[in-house]
Every structure is written in structure tokens, then in C-alpha cells.
Amino acid sequence: MSKFKRTQKRLVKKFPGAALASTPSGYYIGQNGKNIIGEEYPDLAIANSGWEAWRNLDTVEYWNRINTRNKKKLKKSLDHIVVSDDNTSFEPTDYITNEVDFTLSDGDEW
């Protein structure tokens, strides 16, 4: 019970006005009449019990925090990438072989 209370207290602090709500299909944690989890994680949006609904919100909040952190790290690392000149001698037509009696679409022979 204490773990439930700690989880609930932490989540209510993070999402002011969050409260347990129910539908005929199960329970969810709502804020201003809307499901906080929403459509991003449809399998976790509705739970079978109140504790499971709070636990699902805790899990989703953790996943969102990790995704935000990873996006920031990726943006920082992409900002620090330096691309030097490309010195390869590749030409766009290097892969084309000259075929005998090959005619282009405009009628010119290759």
C-alpha cells in the first residue's frame, strides 16, 4: 500500500489534477477529463484495476522521460558532427557499362 501511495503522490505532483477514472472497459488516470496516457500507448491506456492504472502511468512517464533525454543527446551529437570534403573519384555514370548498339531514349547511340 505504501508503494501505491508513493507512486500516486509522485504522479499527482508531476500531473496536477490527475485522478482515477473509470469506463465500462476499465480504469484510467485522467487529467481534465482526458486519459493522460492517450493514444501513444493504447495497450496501457486502460487498466483492469486502479493500482494497475497508476503503475501504467508511471511506466509511460518513465518511457517518455527516457525518449526526451535520448532525443536531446542525439541532437547534441548531431550538432557536433563535422563533415569533411568528399575526395572520392566516383562519378554517377561509373556503374554504367557501354553496351554495343545501345540507343538512348532520345535516339542517340551510346
Side-chain angles (χ1 to χ4, degrees), residues 70-88:
N70 290 343
K71 286 177 187 175
K72 286 179 184 176
K73 282 185 177 180
L74 178 65
K75 186 174 187 290
K76 282 184 180 179
S77 65
L78 288 177
D79 289 342
H80 295 292
I81 293 176
V82 177
V83 178
S84 60
D85 290 337
D86 185 11
N87 296 325
T88 59

Side-chain angles (χ1 to χ4, degrees), residues 37-90:
I37 295 176
E39 298 174 0
E40 191 171 349
Y41 303 101
D43 293 342
L44 299 176
I46 303 294
N48 294 329
S49 67
W51 164 239
E52 191 177 339
W54 286 104
R55 193 179 65 209
N56 288 349
L57 179 60
D58 189 34
T59 302
V60 168
E61 187 272 330
Y62 175 75
W63 289 347
N64 289 339
R65 200 166 6 111
I66 296 298
N67 285 338
T68 302
R69 183 196 70 199
N70 290 343
K71 286 177 187 175
K72 286 179 184 176
K73 282 185 177 180
L74 178 65
K75 186 174 187 290
K76 282 184 180 179
S77 65
L78 288 177
D79 289 342
H80 295 292
I81 293 176
V82 177
V83 178
S84 60
D85 290 337
D86 185 11
N87 296 325
T88 59
S89 61
F90 176 77

Side-chain angles (χ1 to χ4, degrees), residues 21-28 46-48:
S22 65
T23 64
S25 58
Y27 296 93
Y28 68 93
I46 303 294
N48 294 329

